[in-house]
Amino acid sequence: MDNNDIIIAPISATQGGSINLIRLSGKGVISKVNSFFSRDILSSKGGRFYYGQLKNNDDIIDDVIVYIFKAPHSYTGEDVVEISCHGNFFITEEIINLFLDHDCRLADPGEFSKRAFLNSKMDLVQAEAVADIISANSKRAVKNSINQLHGYLSGEINRLKRQLVDLASLVELEIDFSEEDIEIIPYDKIIDALKDILIQTEGLLVSYETSKSITDKIQVLLLGKPNVGKSSIMNGFINKDRVIVSSTPGTTRDHIHEDIILNDTFIRLIDSAGIREQAREIEKEGVQKSRVLAKESDIILFILDGSQKLDQEDRRIIELVEALGNKLILVLNKNDITRNKETYAEINIKFPGIPVVDISAKTKNNMDALRKELIKKISLSTDQNINIITNARHYHLLKNFKEQVTITIKSAEQRMGPEYLAIDLRSAIDILGTLTGAVTSDEILNNIFSNFCIGK
Amino acid sequence: MKKYDVIIIGGGHAGIEAANITATMELSTALITLDKSKIGLMSCNPAIGGLAKGQLVREIDALGGVMGKIIDQAGIHFKMLNTSKGPAVQSPRAQADRSLYARVAQKVLNRPDRLDIIEGMVSGLLIISGRAEGVVLAEGQNIYGRAVILTAGTFLNGIIHVGLNQLSAGRAGDLPAKGLSETLAGNGFRLGRLKTGTPPRIHRDSINYTVMEEQLPDEKPQPFSYSTYRIEQKQISCFITYTNEHTHAILRQGFDASPMFTGRIKGVGPRYCPSIEDKIDRFADKNRHQLFLEPEGYFNKEVYVNGFSTSLPAHIQERAIRTVKGLEQCKIVRLGYAVEYDFFPPDQLYATLETKPVANLYFAGQINGTSGYEEAAAQGLLAGINAALKLRDEPAFILKRSEAYIGVLIDDLINKIHEEPYRMFTSRAEFRLLLRQDNADLRLMEKGRALGVVDDRAYEKFQKRKAQIASLKSKELEKKVSMEEFNRFYEGKSTPIKQNHTVEKLLKRPEVSLKDLLHLLKREGYEQSAIMDVEFGIKYKGYLDRQSALMEKFVKTESLLIPPEIDFKNIRALSAEAREKLDLLKPRSLGQASRISGVTPSDISVLLVYIDKYKKMGVSRGTAATE
């Protein structure tokens, strides 16, 4: 509930512009930014902007424009600095991380607005609106963070948390139930367990640093019957856009995918072809797999042969994607041959309001229109700012966590009493708790009661 | 017809504290009990204190309560627990002579100037336009009072189970209280059902102590009360023995006739105090369970078999207990039993323990779903203080989680949904290092004095202790200890120093004690308790600072009061779950709201905006407690 520490978050819209805007607000923010900026802004009167380089030690992160607003003449009513940097995911994230490493924290959803309200920058009528913004943003952020946490990272963090809760329970057991006939855990065992947790944490940090979080890719599925031109379209994207990982179709994979960056967003293009080819014997299984992929994907490019009448196979896929209208882009390929009127008409009736692009993968005709449509869809289906925030949040929390585990190990090695170790462990658990939900003392007691026979 | 200021229903540990404190606060008080001679009876095990509970007793004492004073005169086996650990988690415990305890309690309550003790069964409450105005006795008589404190323990619709037999009773040998639950349900109170149990009591002369482990009392018994100078009673031993596979086999034969396993008992029992049948059922791989034999007094022939709580049929209890080492020939004097009783889920209370549905009615003790004498006494004390303050038109007395275990207790009670009887554990206190049994006076006595409940003698003693601590901190810590003397004294025990160092610096070494340094400096006259306090503050400064920082943050959110006018149901921005829980629990502060499960940080931000909105609109920020 600290209300004047420095908070930071990207504030510009997500539609992959060439500029990204990051806002910092709070007491001492100007001198904070000053220490990483190539120019002296300490004496700035506010309401000015400065061009210069943002630097971490001697490494230049980016050429930026820094806007200075002095309290109370700012959005939040506090001192505010806004940094305009190049609209690139990595740069934005690096700048935010730089400040997070130096006593700033990520703004909570709606926190700039909340501060604005608390500093009387808004009138009473706006109070409810602010509350709604907070609630809506946080729902989005929570959803996003749940999405990210779904899968690998979530499993890992929950596992770390469980191990710590077990350790905390053992320590509390020694304090609150020392009169019971119960074996007390030796400190060396605790230290071993903590070291193990430390190694796991380091592993997570390394994987974050190398992959920049694999979870925030936008998954784009290319769906359509064989030979409708999926791989040509895929190649069309690959040749133009930056490929990160290239996979060759092989017997071990059940689908072909390529990772590209389109407009600063990670995209995983999936060619559903692999599915069918692998499951040729069992047709049903192939359809089932497509169904799952379609559901998991953020965007579906449904590719039809616009020069032909729709056939049985097209109709089967139509059935499959009918309910997924909001992530659909319809692609009518082969407009270089002819446009089949019946097909065009039927598609328009079947999918009202869904974007349709007709292209020729062969001649590259209209491929740019398809790319634009895809970018539009991407910006609707994701909020990159939130991705940056959640990524940075996870990374920083893990770093803090690692530090706290190290402190805890030291306490245990110095043979601090269980009541002190309990405080260290609680601090570590609380850090993870901000990611996975708080751990209460009840949870620890429950863990004790279910694992130990307590009670004389 | 006489009208009392405060009427207390029940003469258990909550009732005693409530009655004593309202009388001390100069209010005319009536305590109504079924049987005068049973005031202060220990219905469960004959012990006061224990881990976390000992802290509660010390706090009660610092606030003018009597539990500590009574046990100091009735204790027959004092023991400080967790002495191998630091002061923050040490707790005093004492076995009591049951009849002596009740006698002392009755003597303490003998203050005819302000306190009438009335025998009778309360069958209803007088509630006039939502306010408690007195009670109705079963005989039909009305007793009028301006406030009523209900401390009915396990007596509300109590049912005792032994095997498949059951009878209505509040405690073995006593009638249950009927009618009250129904009156209250009619006034909008929700009821729940809980269960607890006791072990059999066995005859002292039928026990073979020679084959058991003896647990000796502390050589130097430490009193609970800050007013007690010294423990005078003779101290006697307790004994420890164990069940075995044979015992378990016999107990299992009785499972078919267990009121618990057959579903006869509907109430939920505490997991931290399970019956022996529960233990062998849930922890089948454990081949023995510890039993703690507690004497019930110097002359009392009964011995309490702690750890053998059971509601299995009589013949099973008898056969099983005789397989235990040292109990082969034992005679059961009283059977173990389970008791089921009504309780009122405590979210129906304000932090003052006044009920939300009925004004000037207070609930304290086991009827709020707690277990334990100490938890009950703490609530009785706070209910009494707050009833008195309300009648005097003075602000409520509410302790924070950061100030006292009592604060933790009441905050947990009113803000959590409870599924089993609530017992205090040190792990429930976030600020455990700060809430020690040895500093309860430093934390609370000034407050007690302001309330007018701490007498001159106790207060003078406290002032002296405070002065000693201040003098240690200001005068002694900066003194330099000579290198030669230090190295000579700590030879082989601590790394030699190469120059003179201050006391404060040397104290950072784990092996160095303030007592010894004062000895080296030839400084005398300091009491050990003051020395300990100062030493602890220096040795664990890092941790204490961390807890203090947390505490400051905590106090800040705690002081952000939620205007009672706020209608949580209509704040759309709150999550559905938060709306529902906040509306049910009606927290008074932002801090309280944040501890309700299901209320997220974003809900708290939303509330903050609303609090501010009300503040700016100039709406009163009155507290809900006095509504």
Side-chain angles (χ1 to χ4, degrees):
Chain A
M1 213 39 63
D2 208 343
N3 275 325
N4 51 22
D5 52 349
I6 301 176
I7 53 173
I8 180 170
I11 54 165
S12 51
T14 59
Q15 273 85 338
S18 54
I19 294 293
N20 230 336
L21 201 57
I22 298 165
R23 179 184 284 152
L24 295 103
S25 178
K27 213 171 157 186
V29 69
I30 296 171
S31 72
K32 178 68 72 185
V33 173
N34 188 64
S35 44
F36 302 104
F37 193 45
S38 58
R39 294 180 56 188
D40 180 13
I41 50 172
L42 273 183
S43 50
S44 172
K45 291 191 173 67
R48 309 268 161 99
F49 61 88
Y50 303 84
Y51 173 77
Q53 285 81 41
L54 213 54
K55 291 200 260 186
N56 187 10
N57 296 322
D58 284 328
D59 300 334
I60 293 175
I61 299 174
D62 196 11
D63 286 340
V64 298
I65 298 173
V66 162
Y67 299 82
I68 310 281
F69 303 89
K70 291 207 107 168
H73 306 291
S74 70
Y75 178 74
T76 59
E78 305 170 323
D79 283 354
V80 165
V81 176
E82 289 177 6
I83 300 171
S84 161
C85 64
H86 286 99
N88 172 301
F89 179 89
F90 298 112
I91 290 176
T92 311
E93 197 171 32
E94 199 175 341
I95 293 174
I96 289 176
N97 279 339
L98 169 70
F99 286 101
L100 292 181
D101 276 335
H102 293 90
D103 303 324
C104 301
R105 73 172 166 82
L106 277 166
D108 290 332
E111 196 171 6
F112 290 122
S113 304
K114 187 175 98 187
R115 288 192 176 190
F117 175 76
L118 294 178
N119 290 321
S120 303
K121 296 295 285 186
M122 293 179 184
D123 63 28
L124 289 176
V125 191
Q126 287 170 296
E128 287 199 16
V130 172
D132 285 344
I133 291 168
I134 292 171
S135 134
N137 279 347
S138 84
K139 270 178 207 146
R140 214 152 42 120
V142 165
K143 194 173 152 243
N144 197 281
S145 128
I146 287 169
N147 285 343
Q148 288 214 348
L149 279 177
H150 191 79
Y152 178 71
L153 187 61
S154 126
E156 289 301 297
I157 286 181
N158 274 321
R159 222 179 56 202
L160 289 177
K161 187 172 92 171
R162 268 201 310 279
Q163 294 172 52
L164 273 174
V165 167
D166 282 348
L167 283 181
S169 302
L170 288 166
V171 169
E172 293 294 350
L173 185 73
E174 183 179 350
I175 298 170
D176 265 335
F177 303 97
S178 58
E179 291 299 293
E180 309 278 343
D181 179 31
I182 273 167
E183 217 178 305
I184 299 299
I185 184 174
Y187 265 37
D188 287 336
K189 284 248 169 76
I190 294 181
I191 293 169
D192 286 348
L194 284 170
K195 285 189 172 157
D196 196 44
I197 288 171
L198 197 64
I199 291 168
Q200 296 173 51
T201 311
E202 278 162 357
L204 280 177
L205 281 169
V206 166
S207 79
Y208 178 93
E209 280 155 8
T210 51
S211 78
K212 286 275 180 188
S213 177
I214 49 169
T215 46
D216 55 339
K217 282 185 192 113
I218 302 285
Q219 195 160 307
V220 178
L221 179 66
L222 281 70
L223 203 61
K225 64 184 176 188
N227 298 324
V228 75
K230 294 190 297 289
S231 36
S232 315
I233 294 174
M234 193 142 154
N235 286 333
F237 282 114
I238 294 167
N239 293 337
K240 178 108 194 224
D241 301 291
R242 205 172 119 210
V243 180
I244 299 172
V245 183
S246 185
S247 73
T248 39
T251 46
T252 53
R253 290 183 185 271
D254 55 359
H255 58 259
I256 301 160
H257 70 254
E258 300 285 352
D259 290 342
I260 62 167
I261 291 181
L262 185 61
N263 214 49
D264 281 319
T265 308
F266 285 90
I267 308 284
R268 169 161 290 183
L269 291 170
I270 300 173
D271 182 351
S272 61
I275 305 164
R276 264 191 52 83
E277 275 146 32
Q278 233 197 11
R280 194 175 285 280
E281 316 89 289
I282 313 159
E283 182 68 23
K284 258 193 192 159
E285 198 185 320
V287 173
Q288 183 55 29
K289 277 196 176 166
S290 302
R291 199 186 302 278
V292 171
L293 264 182
K295 226 171 148 187
E296 281 178 353
S297 297
D298 301 287
I299 295 166
I300 300 167
L301 299 185
F302 178 16
I303 302 151
L304 294 145
D305 185 342
S307 67
Q308 303 270 322
K309 271 172 64 176
L310 298 177
D311 64 12
Q312 265 316 100
E313 204 144 4
D314 291 322
R315 291 184 198 284
R316 215 183 347 243
I317 302 175
I318 289 174
E319 229 169 85
L320 193 119
V321 298
E322 241 168 356
L324 303 168
N326 57 343
K327 33 172 139 166
L328 220 50
I329 297 174
L330 297 167
V331 183
L332 295 172
N333 195 12
K334 307 192 185 175
N335 70 3
D336 53 321
I337 301 174
T338 174
R339 293 185 167 91
N340 184 303
K341 281 195 183 129
E342 252 178 82
T343 299
Y344 275 64
E346 197 175 340
I347 287 298
N348 273 325
I349 294 164
K350 268 237 146 60
F351 296 100
I354 304 289
V356 182
V357 193
D358 70 345
I359 60 159
S360 165
K362 203 169 151 195
T363 66
K364 308 266 188 275
N365 175 264
N366 243 359
M367 273 301 278
D368 274 341
L370 177 58
R371 180 173 288 109
K372 265 186 202 148
E373 205 55 64
L374 187 56
I375 289 170
K376 210 159 108 193
K377 210 56 174 184
I378 288 166
S379 64
L380 288 175
S381 73
T382 176
D383 186 335
Q384 218 182 326
N385 281 344
I386 285 177
N387 275 338
I388 292 173
I389 290 187
T390 37
N391 281 343
R393 198 186 295 272
H394 295 169
Y395 182 65
H396 274 268
L397 284 170
L398 278 175
K399 259 170 71 175
N400 290 343
F401 176 71
K402 183 185 146 189
E403 200 175 309
Q404 183 56 43
V405 172
T406 311
I407 291 172
T408 313
I409 291 172
K410 218 172 123 197
S411 306
E413 281 170 349
Q414 290 172 345
R415 293 295 185 266
M416 297 299 292
E419 65 270 41
Y420 307 105
L421 206 56
I423 291 180
D424 287 323
L425 284 168
R426 275 315 295 239
S427 307
I429 291 173
D430 285 345
I431 293 171
L432 290 186
T434 50
L435 272 183
T436 60
V439 176
T440 60
S441 60
D442 289 328
E443 209 168 309
I444 291 172
L445 282 169
N446 285 343
N447 196 32
I448 291 179
F449 295 144
S450 51
N451 287 304
F452 297 94
C453 184
I454 297 300
K456 282 187 290 195
Chain B
M1 181 77 215
K2 180 170 179 183
K3 183 167 181 176
Y4 290 96
D5 290 323
V6 184
I7 297 172
I8 287 129
I9 307 168
H13 304 276
I16 291 171
E17 296 294 351
N20 174 69
I21 209 77
T22 54
T24 304
M25 291 173 84
E26 307 189 338
L27 298 177
S28 70
T29 304
L31 186 149
I32 306 174
T33 171
L34 292 167
D35 183 345
K36 271 185 192 180
S37 71
K38 288 186 175 161
I39 288 177
L41 200 65
M42 308 179 105
S43 326
C44 197
N45 71 323
I48 295 288
L51 296 168
K53 290 159 172 277
Q55 275 88 329
L56 280 173
V57 182
R58 299 279 278 170
E59 290 175 0
I60 291 167
D61 190 69
L63 289 170
V66 290
M67 179 169 256
K69 296 176 183 82
I70 301 172
I71 183 64
D72 283 348
Q73 294 172 63
I76 55 176
H77 174 111
F78 280 75
K79 193 167 168 60
M80 188 61 80
L81 306 179
N82 266 348
T83 45
S84 64
K85 305 184 184 76
V89 291
Q90 293 183 13
S91 305
R93 184 183 68 195
Q95 303 303 132
D97 180 308
R98 277 178 99 227
S99 50
L100 186 55
Y101 190 94
R103 261 202 328 274
V104 176
Q106 289 160 29
K107 200 174 82 196
V108 166
L109 287 191
N110 183 21
R111 35 197 313 185
D113 51 332
R114 293 211 195 92
L115 175 60
D116 288 345
I117 294 177
I118 300 168
E119 275 188 350
M121 182 191 277
V122 174
S123 61
L125 296 177
L126 294 169
I127 296 169
I128 298 163
S129 38
R131 174 181 296 269
E133 301 271 1
V135 304
V136 185
L137 297 187
E139 303 81 62
Q141 188 197 346
N142 287 353
I143 298 177
Y144 296 94
R146 295 161 65 208
V148 175
I149 302 175
L150 181 61
T151 69
T154 61
F155 280 60
L156 296 180
N157 290 327
I159 296 179
I160 279 184
H161 299 260
V162 180
L164 299 179
N165 301 324
Q166 59 185 64
L167 77 151
S168 285
R171 161 173 74 200
D174 288 301
L175 288 172
K178 291 203 161 178
L180 255 183
S181 294
E182 290 71 15
T183 310
L184 290 166
N187 276 283
F189 284 93
R190 279 177 292 115
L191 284 162
R193 200 96 172 125
L194 289 174
K195 171 240 151 182
T196 184
T198 64
R201 270 77 154 181
I202 54 180
H203 197 288
R204 163 163 98 175
D205 301 338
S206 66
I207 301 169
N208 178 11
Y209 284 123
T210 56
V211 295
M212 298 184 187
E213 291 168 29
E214 182 172 9
Q215 189 186 66
L216 295 167
D218 284 344
E219 256 172 57
K220 201 171 160 247
Q222 296 178 51
F224 279 84
S225 173
Y226 288 97
S227 314
T228 304
Y229 183 60
R230 173 178 341 117
I231 303 299
E232 310 278 358
Q233 302 84 259
K234 187 182 92 185
Q235 298 291 293
I236 62 177
S237 291
C238 293
F239 291 86
I240 292 169
T241 182
Y242 299 89
T243 63
N244 54 52
E245 298 282 16
H246 193 190
T247 323
H248 301 176
I250 294 172
L251 288 167
R252 277 196 199 95
Q253 290 169 20
F255 280 12
D256 292 345
S258 154
M260 270 189 349
F261 297 150
T262 54
R264 278 196 172 223
I265 292 181
K266 302 274 186 290
V268 185
R271 286 169 305 172
Y272 47 81
C273 190
S275 60
I276 185 75
E277 48 266 36
D278 223 14
K279 285 193 257 187
I280 59 177
D281 183 43
R282 288 186 50 221
F283 296 93
D285 55 330
K286 217 174 167 207
N287 55 20
R288 68 170 202 181
H289 294 281
Q290 193 185 57
L291 301 178
F292 191 59
L293 268 56
E294 306 179 26
E296 300 227 344
Y298 296 120
F299 307 109
N300 197 321
K301 297 286 182 202
E302 291 183 15
V303 171
Y304 186 94
V305 189
N306 200 342
F308 207 78
S309 170
T310 179
S311 54
L312 290 174
H315 66 282
I316 298 282
Q317 290 191 24
E318 233 161 61
R319 277 176 53 215
I321 205 164
R322 286 194 186 144
T323 60
V324 174
K325 197 173 171 191
L327 301 182
E328 294 85 355
Q329 309 295 323
C330 82
K331 276 196 221 122
I332 292 185
V333 187
R334 276 199 286 166
L335 287 168
Y337 62 87
V339 57
E340 268 189 293
Y341 55 96
D342 287 343
F343 84 108
F344 298 96
D347 56 72
Q348 304 174 87
L349 303 174
Y350 293 114
T352 54
L353 299 181
E354 184 178 13
T355 69
K356 288 175 183 173
V358 177
N360 290 29
L361 176 64
Y362 296 77
F363 285 173
Q366 233 162 337
I367 61 163
N368 288 338
T370 59
S371 86
Y373 308 140
E374 304 79 4
E375 288 84 346
Q379 293 168 66
L381 181 73
L382 270 276
I385 290 174
N386 277 304
L389 290 173
K390 186 172 183 191
L391 294 182
R392 284 200 212 151
D393 238 348
E394 285 173 32
F397 182 70
I398 294 164
L399 290 168
K400 297 192 186 85
R401 299 182 77 88
S402 53
E403 288 174 329
Y405 273 88
I406 299 178
V408 175
L409 167 71
I410 293 177
D411 191 66
D412 275 349
L413 282 182
I414 64 175
N415 289 318
K416 288 185 181 167
I417 309 293
H418 300 274
E419 273 151 16
E420 68 181 329
Y422 180 96
R423 182 184 135 181
M424 187 49 73
F425 296 105
T426 70
S427 56
R428 295 196 194 273
E430 297 83 346
F431 309 106
R432 180 160 58 194
L433 291 190
L434 306 173
L435 307 184
R436 306 189 302 276
Q437 64 88 18
D438 63 78
N439 70 1
D441 56 340
L442 298 173
R443 289 184 279 124
L444 300 172
M445 214 171 250
E446 220 48 272
K447 290 179 192 288
R449 183 69 173 176
L451 288 169
V453 295
V454 172
D455 62 44
D456 293 344
R457 209 177 114 230
Y459 190 66
E460 265 165 42
K461 203 174 153 192
F462 163 68
Q463 292 286 38
K464 218 178 108 195
R465 189 164 113 82
K466 236 172 60 171
Q468 283 214 337
I469 290 172
S471 143
L472 274 170
K473 283 185 185 162
S474 65
K475 290 191 197 134
E476 314 297 352
L477 291 183
E478 292 308 310
K479 287 219 168 80
K480 292 224 167 159
V481 179
S482 96
M483 177 179 78
E484 294 79 19
E485 286 196 49
F486 180 89
N487 292 343
R488 190 174 336 115
F489 187 87
Y490 279 103
E491 199 189 336
K493 284 180 275 178
S494 190
T495 323
I497 51 176
K498 297 191 177 73
Q499 64 185 74
N500 299 349
H501 279 308
T502 63
V503 170
E504 184 160 3
K505 184 159 185 199
L506 290 170
L507 271 180
K508 296 270 177 203
R509 300 182 169 202
E511 66 278 6
V512 173
S513 78
L514 180 55
K515 191 181 164 196
D516 289 340
L517 294 184
L518 288 170
H519 170 76
L520 288 182
L521 289 166
K522 302 193 175 51
R523 303 290 302 172
E524 269 149 39
Y526 288 108
E527 277 176 30
Q528 184 56 22
S529 75
I531 294 175
M532 292 284 290
D533 191 86
V534 174
E535 178 177 300
F536 181 70
I538 289 168
K539 282 206 188 299
Y540 299 98
K541 188 164 182 307
Y543 283 98
L544 289 168
D545 285 351
R546 266 162 76 187
Q547 291 238 301
S548 299
L550 263 183
M551 185 164 100
E552 261 171 45
K553 225 167 148 183
F554 172 84
V555 168
K556 225 160 127 186
T557 58
E558 222 50 26
S559 61
L560 283 168
L561 296 183
I562 298 175
E565 299 90 347
I566 277 193
D567 183 3
F568 298 108
K569 289 196 298 294
N570 286 329
I571 302 182
R572 284 173 300 138
L574 292 172
S575 68
E577 189 184 358
R579 270 201 300 263
E580 187 188 319
K581 294 260 179 75
L582 289 167
D583 190 53
L584 174 73
L585 298 169
K586 295 200 171 50
R588 291 160 36 93
S589 72
L590 207 61
Q592 215 179 38
S594 69
R595 287 189 296 281
I596 296 172
S597 70
V599 175
T600 64
S602 104
D603 292 322
I604 293 300
S605 288
V606 168
L607 283 179
L608 190 67
V609 167
Y610 274 81
I611 290 176
D612 223 68
K613 176 179 159 184
Y614 275 86
K615 196 164 73 185
K616 284 174 181 161
M617 279 163 57
V619 174
S620 83
R621 296 180 74 196
T623 60
T626 49
E627 284 300 290

